[in-house]
Amino acid sequence: MSALTETDPTGAGFSPEGLARIAPWMDRLVDEGRLAGLSVTVARRGRVAFARACGQADLARATPFTLDTVTRIYSMTKPLTSVAVMQLYEQGLFQLDDPVSRVLPEFAEMRVAVGGNRAKLETEPARRAITVRDLLTHTAGLTYGFMEATLVDAQYREHGVDYLAREGTLAEMTARVAKLPLLAQPGSAWNYSVATDVLGQFVAALSGRPFADYLREAVIGPLGMIDTDFFVRPELMPRFCATYAYDRARQLRLFDDSVETAFAKPPAIASGGGGLVSTAADYQRFCRMILNRGTLDGTRLLGRKTVELMLSNHLPGDLAAMGTPRFAETSYTGIGFGLGFSVMLDPARAQILGTPGEVAWGGLASTAFWIDPAEDLSVVLMTQLVPSSALPIRRELRVLTYAALAD
C-alpha cells in the first residue's frame, strides 16, 4: 500500500453510506477547533476503502493536512521495536523467559520500591529477574516519569530518565533506568513504561548495531516505509506537521513547531518507545505486514507463528486485573496485552465495538491504529493533539468504522 488510493468500499465489504459518516465527523472536529487537522485510512482485504485528510498541518503557515503529512507517532513506535526484538528471537539469540540481564547485565540486581518518601525510598530485592517477555508486555516493574503518580515516577524525573532527550546515549539512559527501583515485582502488575526503550538497547547489544540502524535496515526499510525515521529528513520538512495542545480556554496552542523542532535533526537517542515520525501510508504498510502474518510484497520479516504469538494475550487476564488506569492509550477492562500491542479480549467488557484478537495502540499526539485479523481490517488515524486523553476520537472512529461493515 505505497499509495492510499480509495477503491470501491463495497468490494471490501463496507457500506458506502456507512463509511461516508467518517468524513463529516472529521470535518466537525476541525470546524469546531478541536483538532487542527487529521487523516483517516481504512483498509480491508488488501483494499483501501476510505482515505481522507482535512484541516491544517500547520495553522500559522496554513499548510493543509494531507494523506502524506509526516506526523510524530510517539508510542506507535513500540510495535516496530517489538518486531525487531522478535526477529532476533527467531534467530535463536534468546528465549522470552530469559533474564534480560544476560544481555544487559546492569539489570542483574534490581530492587523494588515498597514505601518510604521522596527523601528515603524503602526497597526490597526483586523476587525474580526481569525477563524479555516482561519488557514486551510492560510487566517488568518499570515506569515513566511523566506519569507523576508514584515515588518511583518522581525518581525517574529526578534522575533525568527521558528517552526523547537530545543528549546522551541509549546505553547511558538504559543504565540510568537499571539503577532505579522498580515500581512493582517483575510480572506482578501492568505498568506502561520505558520498557520498549530498554528493548531498543537490548536489540543493539544483541545485534551489534546501533538500534536506529538495525530498525531502519531490518524493519523500516524492508517494509518500504519510506517516510518513517527518528527524524524528518530535509526533503520531508515541508510535509511535517506542527503539534498542538489545549490552553485553559480549550483553544489550540502550539506545542511543537513544524520547522523549529528537535525532529529536524537526528536525535542523540533513538527511542524505541516513542521516537519515530511516519505517515498514514507507511503505517498502513506495517499493518498489512501484521495482517499477512509477517510478510509484505514478497518480503518476510517474521514467521507466521511468531506473529500469532505476538498477537496473543500474554497476561493472566485483562489489564484491569493487573494495574490501575493512569493514561489514555487504552481502556483496561476487557483488554489484554501481547508482545507490543494491546489485545481485545471482550468487546462487551471493554464497552466498545471490536473483535476478540484485534490488536491496537496509540501515541501521545492522539495518533492511533488497530488491526483486526478476523475482519482483515486495519485503520490508521493520524493527527497532532497532545495529550491523547484530550478527546475520545479513537473510540468514536472505532464505532464509525465497525458500524460501516456490511458483510
Side-chain angles (χ1 to χ4, degrees):
M1 198 174 298
S2 58
L4 293 171
T5 303
E6 287 185 351
T7 60
D8 180 5
T10 59
F14 283 102
S15 157
E17 296 78 14
L19 276 185
R21 296 173 184 153
I22 297 176
W25 169 78
M26 297 171 68
D27 290 337
R28 284 195 302 273
L29 290 169
V30 172
D31 294 343
E32 294 171 4
R34 291 190 285 166
L35 291 176
L38 72 159
S39 72
V40 172
T41 59
V42 179
R44 192 172 186 228
R45 299 173 181 165
R47 301 183 181 193
V48 180
F50 183 90
R52 184 175 184 267
C54 68
Q56 303 292 309
D58 189 314
L59 293 171
R61 299 176 178 89
T63 307
F65 204 106
T66 66
L67 289 172
D68 64 357
T69 290
V70 179
T71 63
R72 303 155 188 78
I73 62 170
Y74 289 113
S75 287
M76 282 168 57
T77 304
K78 288 178 171 70
L80 277 78
T81 300
S82 300
V83 166
V85 171
M86 297 307 290
Q87 287 177 328
L88 300 176
Y89 170 75
E90 288 191 334
Q91 295 172 31
L93 298 180
F94 67 92
Q95 292 298 303
L96 292 175
D97 57 357
D98 281 350
V100 71
S101 58
R102 291 185 183 176
V103 177
L104 302 177
E106 57 265 41
F107 287 92
E109 301 291 336
M110 300 301 295
R111 298 188 67 83
V112 181
V114 293
N117 53 49
R118 292 190 70 165
K120 183 175 177 57
L121 201 61
E122 298 175 3
T123 65
E124 65 180 15
R127 299 188 191 111
R128 68 162 175 80
I130 295 172
T131 67
V132 181
R133 187 196 305 269
D134 291 332
L135 293 176
L136 284 163
T137 58
H138 294 281
T139 58
L142 305 179
T143 186
Y144 270 123
F146 65 74
M147 293 294 192
E148 299 188 356
T150 70
L151 293 173
V152 178
D153 301 343
Q155 292 241 322
Y156 274 51
R157 297 192 298 276
E158 290 169 9
H159 289 82
V161 176
D162 180 6
Y163 280 90
L164 295 178
R166 296 287 155 166
E167 58 184 22
T169 68
L170 180 59
E172 290 168 351
M173 194 66 66
T174 301
R176 204 173 298 168
V177 171
K179 292 178 181 178
L180 298 177
L182 300 175
L183 189 62
Q185 288 288 343
S188 68
W190 191 91
N191 290 288
Y192 199 42
S193 72
V194 299
T196 316
D197 293 287
V198 172
L199 285 171
Q201 180 59 23
F202 181 82
V203 168
L206 267 185
S207 68
R209 285 185 272 172
F211 171 63
D213 290 350
Y214 181 92
L215 198 69
R216 290 184 188 110
E217 295 163 9
V219 180
I220 294 171
L223 282 175
M225 298 176 71
I226 57 176
D227 294 334
T228 301
D229 210 328
F230 288 100
F231 73 107
V232 185
R233 299 190 303 273
E235 68 273 19
L236 300 182
M237 284 299 293
R239 290 199 269 130
F240 191 45
C241 66
T243 304
Y244 299 92
Y246 288 139
D247 62 18
R248 291 184 178 180
R250 294 286 289 182
Q251 300 295 310
L252 293 171
R253 63 171 176 81
L254 185 66
F255 181 83
D256 187 40
D257 192 50
S258 65
V259 176
E260 300 298 323
T261 174
F263 284 91
K265 61 182 180 179
I269 299 171
S271 169
L276 289 177
V277 298
S278 191
T279 63
D282 274 10
Y283 215 87
Q284 277 285 6
R285 291 187 66 80
F286 173 76
C287 293
R288 277 185 60 205
M289 181 273 291
I290 296 296
L291 282 174
N292 292 343
R293 297 298 195 274
T295 186
L296 180 67
D297 296 340
T299 298
R300 180 164 290 283
L301 279 78
L302 288 172
R304 175 175 63 86
K305 300 298 291 186
T306 302
V307 174
E308 290 173 358
L309 182 65
M310 294 180 72
L311 305 187
S312 302
N313 180 35
H314 286 252
L315 306 182
D318 63 7
L319 295 173
M322 294 197 70
T324 302
R326 293 190 298 172
F327 73 108
E329 305 307 335
T330 183
S331 61
Y332 273 45
T333 303
I335 305 292
F337 208 84
L339 304 182
F341 316 84
S342 64
V343 181
M344 175 68 77
L345 302 179
D346 186 339
R349 294 190 63 225
Q351 299 185 49
I352 191 68
L353 294 179
T355 308
E358 154 209 314
V359 297
W361 207 240
L364 174 67
S366 301
T367 59
F369 78 95
W370 77 88
I371 301 169
D372 187 333
E375 296 287 353
D376 196 8
L377 169 73
S378 60
V379 179
V380 175
L381 166 67
M382 292 297 195
T383 188
Q384 54 198 338
L385 179 67
V386 173
S388 57
S389 59
L391 291 175
I393 54 176
R394 295 167 177 173
R395 294 178 69 85
E396 292 172 356
L397 179 58
R398 292 175 63 87
V399 173
L400 289 165
T401 302
Y402 277 117
L405 286 174
D407 64 1

